[in-house]
Amino acid sequence: MPSPIEVPQSMRAWQVTSLGEPAEALTQQSVPTPVPAEGEVLIRVAAVAANFPDVLLARGEYQVKPELPFIPGIECSGTVIAVGSGVSTHAVGDRVVAGKIGVLAEYAAVDAASVHPIPDSFDFLAASGLNIAYQTSWFALHRRAKLQAGEWLLVHAAAGGVGAATVQLGAAAGARVIGVVGSEAKAEVARAAGAEHVILRGDDIVGEVKRITGGHGADVVFDPVGGAAFTASTRAVAFEGRIVVIGFASGEIPQLAVSHALVKNYAVLGLYWGLYQERLPHLVDEAHEELIRLFESGKIAPVIDSVVPFDDAPAAITKLATGTTVGRVVIQVSS
């Protein structure tokens, strides 16, 4: 059994102390180090992957609204340094990834069911974004859309953290992937992730999808953008196609004329991955095992835009909000 690891009584943490843009809302504080309760593990955080929900949490616009002040950050990688009573699935010294609001700190107490092991070959910086981005993509493509090999997959924001993960998983599943990106530089990222075709956001998305697919359209659409992207998706989707709505990074929640779904018998499917962690955690475990298998076989590899030190966390989250990043922005908490 590994020797107990000494845990300091206090730790550095970023807290949202007032709602607003991340640069103004976040302040670094010294707070008591959490003690793992029954069913929890304590993680020494190595890295935190910034996510768009961190921006929304700071603004008070996320569907979950913690009471002020609170620690943001929704996924991390690190090492288990203590376990609460009743935990038999994890041990001190385990290298893990975890998902929970409140991990943008040097230590985080997380429900053991939300913690998953990673192999030694998976470095903490890359692994920090495995839990949310790849799980979201996996459930969108395989649980909700039932993506099949040979189908056309249209991915909006295909060079972003979740988008690039979706391109990789779509290609790994044998789909023919079309990525939509905002610039030529991002187009290269989407192609490297496995996109067979790339469309610039300012182009005629509908016309290009029809041209590329020979008039067939996209069998599956992955949309984390909303707004005009969703409207284009309803016109570019194939007969019996499936549009999976992930979020609204554009800031615009689109309205659907339900009668339009009858034109091509297409389906609009919602996906909030956190509900699976809450209601069907065994499916999350199964997805994690498959994701690790794909990583070890070289079929997926997290794309990192930049790595920033812990003290620059607000700038990292602000950068994410601009929409100029490719892949993940990772906050390094410890070496």
Side-chain angles (χ1 to χ4, degrees), residues 240-281:
E240 290 196 326
R242 293 85 76 198
I243 302 172
V244 188
V245 177
I246 311 301
F248 313 103
S250 67
E252 181 182 346
I253 300 176
Q255 300 298 311
L256 172 66
V258 180
S259 59
H260 191 265
L262 307 183
V263 174
K264 289 179 284 189
N265 285 4
Y266 67 83
V268 178
L269 308 167
L271 175 68
Y272 172 41
W273 173 78
L275 291 176
Y276 288 101
Q277 184 67 72
E278 293 174 13
R279 301 186 181 194
L280 298 170

Side-chain angles (χ1 to χ4, degrees), residues 3 82 103 132 150 160 191 208:
S3 301
V103 299
I132 303 298
R191 291 189 187 99
E208 282 297 288

Side-chain angles (χ1 to χ4, degrees), residues 183-248:
S183 68
E184 284 291 350
K186 290 188 174 185
E188 290 306 312
V189 174
R191 291 189 187 99
E196 186 176 335
H197 302 272
V198 179
I199 302 170
L200 294 182
R201 190 171 299 122
D203 292 345
D204 177 8
I205 295 175
V206 177
E208 282 297 288
V209 170
K210 294 295 181 65
R211 180 188 65 79
I212 291 167
T213 64
H216 177 79
D219 298 292
V220 174
V221 181
F222 180 91
D223 181 17
V225 178
F230 177 82
T231 301
S233 298
T234 64
R235 297 172 57 206
V237 70
F239 173 71
E240 290 196 326
R242 293 85 76 198
I243 302 172
V244 188
V245 177
I246 311 301
F248 313 103

Side-chain angles (χ1 to χ4, degrees), residues 38-192:
E38 181 179 359
E40 291 184 337
V41 302
L42 182 65
I43 299 170
R44 182 172 59 207
V45 178
V48 174
N51 285 272
F52 195 70
D54 291 318
V55 178
L56 300 179
L57 280 164
R59 294 173 179 168
E61 296 174 354
Y62 194 52
Q63 55 258 51
V64 179
K65 295 179 170 54
E67 183 178 346
L68 293 173
F70 66 88
I71 300 171
I74 62 174
E75 64 176 331
C76 70
S77 60
T79 304
V80 174
I81 61 169
V83 297
S85 61
V87 175
S88 59
T89 51
H90 305 287
V92 172
D94 285 355
R95 302 174 79 255
V96 296
V97 292
K100 174 194 176 182
I101 294 175
V103 299
L104 190 51
E106 292 181 304
Y107 299 88
V110 183
D111 190 298
S114 300
V115 177
H116 301 281
I118 57 172
D120 291 343
S121 58
F122 209 162
D123 74 78
F124 284 133
L125 295 176
S128 64
L130 181 71
N131 210 48
I132 303 298
Y134 281 93
Q135 285 272 353
T136 295
S137 301
W138 177 267
F139 274 86
L141 298 183
H142 296 290
R143 178 75 181 183
R144 302 298 285 140
K146 302 292 194 294
L147 179 70
Q148 302 297 309
E151 287 192 312
W152 286 102
L153 167 64
L154 178 66
V155 181
H156 291 283
V162 180
T166 305
V167 172
Q168 290 181 1
L169 287 176
R176 304 187 67 182
V177 184
I178 305 170
V180 180
V181 299
S183 68
E184 284 291 350
K186 290 188 174 185
E188 290 306 312
V189 174
R191 291 189 187 99

Side-chain angles (χ1 to χ4, degrees), residues 307-329:
V307 178
V308 302
F310 184 71
D311 287 342
D312 293 340
I317 298 173
T318 297
K319 182 179 181 182
L320 187 71
T322 66
T324 59
T325 58
V326 293
R328 307 311 303 270
V329 178

